[in-house]
Amino acid sequence: MTDNERQGTMAETTRPYASDELAEGTIDAVVIGGGAAGLNGALILARSRRSVVVIDSGSPRNAPAEAVHGLLALDGTPPTEILRRGREQVRQYGGHVAFGEVVSAEPAAPSGDGDLRFAVTLADGRSITARRILVATGVTDVLPDVPGLAEHWGHSVVHCPYCHGWEVRDEPIGILATGTASIGHALLFRQLTEDLTYFTHGTDLDDDTRARFAARGIRVIDTPVTEVVNAKDGTLAGVRLADGQVVARRVLGVAPRMLARIQALEGLGLPVQDLPNASRGLASGVAGATDVPGVWVAGNVADAAAQVGASAAAGALAGIEINKALAIADTDAALHRIV
């Protein structure tokens, strides 16, 4: 794993919250991932009186950010506080949240009445059996391999004009291009500042786009960026180019590669789709349903661009559909017992 990937996963060596014990026997649903999508899906299921356990590694994608923005009524709230409240609310309705890292998940032998079963194993050897699975593991952001870039991730190096834009308005901003996605990035950040520089950094930029940038007053620099330069106080001061020139910038906008965190889920056979900017995510249909019976996905693992609100909404929709599927299975089992 590269330093940039470690920055994206923000893995922790200690438990960042109190962990519940895993439930014994077969539960209705296991949620893999305890971010906004996973917790909201679990909340819906717990409120429907379903036995549900969230398995969470405590490494949310937005951990480096100081606050969540663009989320109605919660704008400016630290990500850790939103997750703390979410865990508390899931538990309020009888759900469980357990700290742990999933190392395998796969179909198990069905029940006597033919209902689905899945076996999920954690790194410490614990295991749990569930009737349905919601995958909400999120993505890893992989930054360009530029020295000094990762240390500013989530602060002066940002990826989303809606998540961070207001906070960096009117600053000298640079766009460090990673592909065609960076072109649209530049136009969005131009809304926030009069002083915008686009570093092509080895990517193609056609004449039409250059003309459009010029019309908007966006400066283009084709010389590759070799490192991020810090001020004496450690804040971002600019970038150094391959010719030695330092271009002063206070903020860098970067569209990272986003890779779905699915390394331990190969046993489920979930379909993976390629996304723009060399990114990858899980393919899904309506309300997060996948081609694998009994498995739903929600949040950034399926929609890498979704903000916290959209991820939470996707989790809720998936939770609703899982509960519907369980209700049908319960009815089928009841009929089977009578017959």
Side-chain angles (χ1 to χ4, degrees):
M1 180 181 289
T2 67
D3 288 342
N4 286 337
E5 289 173 321
R6 290 191 184 94
Q7 178 70 24
T9 58
M10 292 297 293
E12 299 184 30
T13 57
T14 59
R15 295 186 180 189
Y17 57 87
S19 176
D20 297 329
E21 296 296 325
L22 291 186
E24 296 183 359
T26 299
I27 62 170
D28 289 323
V30 63
V31 179
I32 305 176
L39 288 173
N40 217 31
L43 180 64
I44 291 293
L45 287 163
R47 282 179 51 83
S48 300
R49 306 191 75 175
R50 294 295 178 184
S51 54
V52 57
V53 174
V54 179
I55 308 296
D56 176 37
S57 66
S59 56
R61 178 189 186 189
N62 58 3
E66 294 178 357
V68 170
H69 293 290
L71 183 60
L72 188 64
L74 292 174
D75 185 87
T77 306
T80 52
E81 175 61 14
I82 290 177
L83 296 180
R84 185 195 66 79
R85 295 181 194 177
R87 290 190 291 268
E88 191 175 87
Q89 290 171 355
V90 168
R91 288 164 170 158
Q92 176 183 340
Y93 295 103
H96 295 261
V97 183
F99 178 80
E101 180 183 353
V102 172
V103 294
S104 71
E106 56 191 6
S111 65
D113 55 24
D115 192 23
L116 299 170
R117 292 291 186 270
F118 296 91
V120 177
T121 304
L122 277 59
D124 60 10
R126 292 179 296 167
S127 63
I128 193 166
T129 301
R131 301 169 64 194
R132 302 294 183 271
I133 288 182
L134 173 57
V135 175
T137 47
V139 297
T140 294
D141 294 303
V142 182
L143 300 176
D145 191 14
V146 175
L149 189 70
E151 67 183 81
H152 295 287
W153 178 239
H155 301 283
S156 298
V157 175
V158 299
H159 73 294
C160 173
Y162 303 105
C163 304
H164 310 282
W166 177 263
E167 287 64 41
V168 302
R169 67 194 186 282
D170 297 326
E171 294 281 6
I173 299 176
I175 300 297
L176 182 62
T178 57
T180 56
S182 296
I183 295 172
H185 225 197
L187 298 178
L188 294 175
F189 275 99
R190 175 62 181 83
Q191 175 67 20
L192 303 167
T193 183
E194 298 287 334
D195 187 355
L196 186 68
T197 299
Y198 188 90
F199 301 95
T200 59
H201 198 56
T203 63
D204 294 329
L205 198 63
D206 59 36
D207 291 340
D208 178 66
T209 302
R210 289 175 185 270
R212 294 171 66 81
F213 278 6
R216 292 287 282 146
I218 301 173
R219 179 188 180 194
V220 176
I221 293 180
D222 293 305
T223 307
V225 173
T226 58
E227 66 173 329
V228 170
V229 178
N230 290 342
K232 290 182 179 180
D233 62 0
T235 59
L236 193 151
V239 298
R240 191 182 309 279
L241 306 180
D243 61 7
Q245 177 188 1
V246 174
V247 180
R249 298 288 91 183
R250 295 294 294 169
V251 176
L252 290 175
V254 180
R257 284 197 305 138
M258 296 173 283
L259 304 179
R261 296 178 180 178
I262 54 174
Q263 294 86 344
L265 306 179
E266 294 89 349
L268 293 176
L270 296 170
V272 177
Q273 60 181 344
D274 292 327
L275 303 171
N277 229 38
S279 298
R280 285 184 310 159
L282 293 179
S284 65
V286 176
T290 72
D291 291 342
V292 180
V295 181
W296 281 256
V297 299
N300 287 151
V301 72
D303 182 2
Q307 292 179 275
V308 173
S311 292
L317 291 174
I320 289 169
E321 292 304 311
I322 291 171
N323 186 52
K324 288 180 181 178
L326 288 169
I328 292 172
D330 290 343
T331 304
D332 291 342
L335 182 61
H336 177 79
R337 288 192 295 271
I338 293 174
V339 174

